[in-house]
Amino acid sequence: MTVGPWTIQRMNNIPRSHTRHPLVACRWLVMAWLLLASGPALPADSRAAYVTHVTLSAPNTYSELQHQLLEQAPGIHHFRQTGPFKVSTRKGRQILLSANERVRADLYLAAPAEKAPLVIFLHGHDSTKEAHARQAIHVASWGIHAVAVQLSKTGPWDAHGRTLARIVRLIQRSPGVIDSRIDVNRIILAGHSFGAYAVAVAMAQGAPVAGGILLDPALFGEATNFLQKISKPVMVLGADETLSPIRYRDYFYHYIPGTVAEVSVKGATHEDAQYPSQTSLLNAGVDPDVTEELQITFVSGITATAISLSANRGLDYAWAGFRELINSGQLFDAKKK
């Protein structure tokens, strides 16, 4: 379905179906679920294996929740379950960047009245904002507001990065364009595939953000000069490259000079970094190349990283929480600088 980020490194314009690893092709498990439900519940047969380690005493605000989490041992499994807060959804909003420029967005707002951080999600090539709806709902249930924006499905991705930077600056000046409860000093960007590259461009342009989360990122062209200008912390959450080789993914860790951490999710495909996947949105909820358990691993990693970046502008909390899955082999190729 998609060309570009799914092509094997240095083999441009070859459809993903022609480069898919045979282990992916033989995956027979078909996942079907009710799309865009109220929140991403853990599959019943997986609950016993992923019992949350955290004990929460009914927090009323994000600050209370953050304090409770930081007082306990970090762990990514905390965030596999839906968080303690209700989420309100506002779809189809228009963000007015100029008299003639509007960006469509879906808002996922956490219930507490106190100001809280914001995560802005950007889709990848040939995809839509809806492919990150459950990720956004999940993050908001943990007290962090979320916005999924819709830009052109095909780029240009450098321009998308500049647009993303303008969106951040607009929200910082006027948080009410999203919600008055946005903490403008704790905005985080998250992007998938070429959308992750656009996040890197926005950060290189000096977008006033606390950090970035790159979901199985793919480099657009060979524009490494953007990566070298990034000074804020970046987390790379990658798929299993033995199953889904992604063009120049290693460049993000190599060329970003500041704080960068990277892990790969064992057995995950490129689409597992979406939730739901774009294929499932187009195919009545069915995508044979994703596994909901792995999609939840990605979303729990996103949540842990967002909390880490909003708490101390760093990755230490998230990285410590990933250790249990690194030790078990569920996360691998872990590195941090």
Side-chain angles (χ1 to χ4, degrees):
M1 180 188 72
T2 306
V3 180
W6 285 270
T7 55
I8 292 181
Q9 193 170 10
R10 300 187 187 280
M11 295 178 64
N12 298 327
N13 301 320
I14 300 177
R16 174 177 171 272
S17 59
H18 293 178
T19 61
R20 184 180 299 160
H21 191 284
L23 289 177
V24 176
C26 69
R27 292 175 75 176
W28 56 268
L29 181 62
V30 175
M31 303 299 297
W33 64 84
L34 181 62
L35 295 176
L36 305 183
S38 61
L42 187 65
D45 59 356
S46 299
R47 289 184 185 275
Y50 297 105
V51 177
T52 182
H53 306 312
V54 70
T55 302
L56 301 176
S57 56
N60 294 313
T61 66
Y62 175 72
S63 293
E64 289 182 16
L65 172 63
Q66 178 180 280
H67 178 74
Q68 291 184 43
L69 290 171
L70 296 181
E71 286 291 308
Q72 304 187 49
I76 190 173
H77 284 158
H78 300 344
F79 307 109
R80 294 187 70 88
Q81 300 287 349
T82 301
F85 297 120
K86 293 183 179 180
V87 178
S88 62
T89 301
R90 303 175 188 174
K91 295 187 177 181
R93 295 293 294 269
Q94 299 279 343
I95 300 175
L96 184 64
L97 287 179
S98 69
N100 300 313
E101 188 176 6
R102 291 172 170 80
V103 174
R104 289 184 294 123
D106 294 337
L107 280 52
Y108 303 88
L109 303 175
E114 182 195 49
K115 289 184 181 295
L118 170 70
V119 176
I120 302 174
F121 288 90
L122 179 60
H123 58 84
H125 180 82
D126 202 24
S127 190
T128 62
K129 56 183 170 54
E130 286 77 15
H132 298 278
R134 287 194 169 189
Q135 292 176 346
I137 290 170
H138 193 93
V139 166
S141 77
W142 284 94
I144 298 176
H145 305 301
V147 172
V149 299
Q150 181 68 56
L151 299 179
S152 168
K153 296 181 180 182
T154 57
W157 298 97
D158 289 357
H160 283 357
R162 289 188 285 272
T163 298
L164 199 56
R166 292 172 61 208
I167 291 172
V168 174
R169 292 190 180 100
L170 173 63
I171 294 171
Q172 188 181 57
R173 292 193 308 269
S174 305
V177 300
I178 302 298
D179 192 278
S180 61
R181 296 170 297 152
I182 301 298
D183 183 342
V184 298
N185 295 313
R186 295 190 288 178
I187 299 175
I188 298 158
L189 297 178
H192 176 241
S193 194
F194 281 164
Y197 169 75
V199 165
V201 172
M203 294 180 69
Q205 294 282 320
V209 298
I213 303 172
L214 310 184
L215 304 173
D216 211 27
L219 192 69
F220 184 69
E222 297 188 35
T224 57
N225 58 310
F226 286 116
L227 304 183
Q228 295 168 345
K229 297 177 181 177
I230 295 174
S231 60
K232 298 294 181 64
V234 173
M235 176 68 76
V236 178
L237 300 176
D240 190 332
E241 289 199 290
T242 66
L243 303 179
S244 295
I246 302 303
R247 50 177 290 141
Y248 309 125
R249 195 186 97 183
D250 58 314
Y251 281 27
F252 291 88
Y253 184 86
H254 180 73
Y255 284 104
I256 295 175
T259 300
V260 188
E262 179 175 350
V263 293
S264 297
V265 180
K266 188 69 174 180
T269 65
H270 193 62
E271 288 88 344
D272 282 310
Q274 303 171 331
Y275 191 30
S277 72
Q278 185 64 27
T279 297
S280 71
L281 291 170
L282 299 173
N283 197 33
V286 176
D287 183 350
D289 286 343
V290 301
T291 304
E292 191 170 21
E293 182 176 306
L294 297 177
Q295 290 176 306
I296 292 173
T297 298
F298 272 100
V299 78
S300 57
I302 294 167
T303 306
T305 303
I307 289 172
S308 188
L309 288 170
S310 66
N312 56 27
R313 306 300 197 274
L315 301 175
D316 289 347
Y317 173 80
W319 190 250
F322 290 171
R323 181 57 54 186
E324 57 185 311
L325 295 194
I326 294 171
N327 291 341
S328 69
Q330 294 168 271
L331 298 178
F332 68 107
D333 284 347
K335 48 194 175 185
K336 183 174 182 288
K337 64 178 183 180

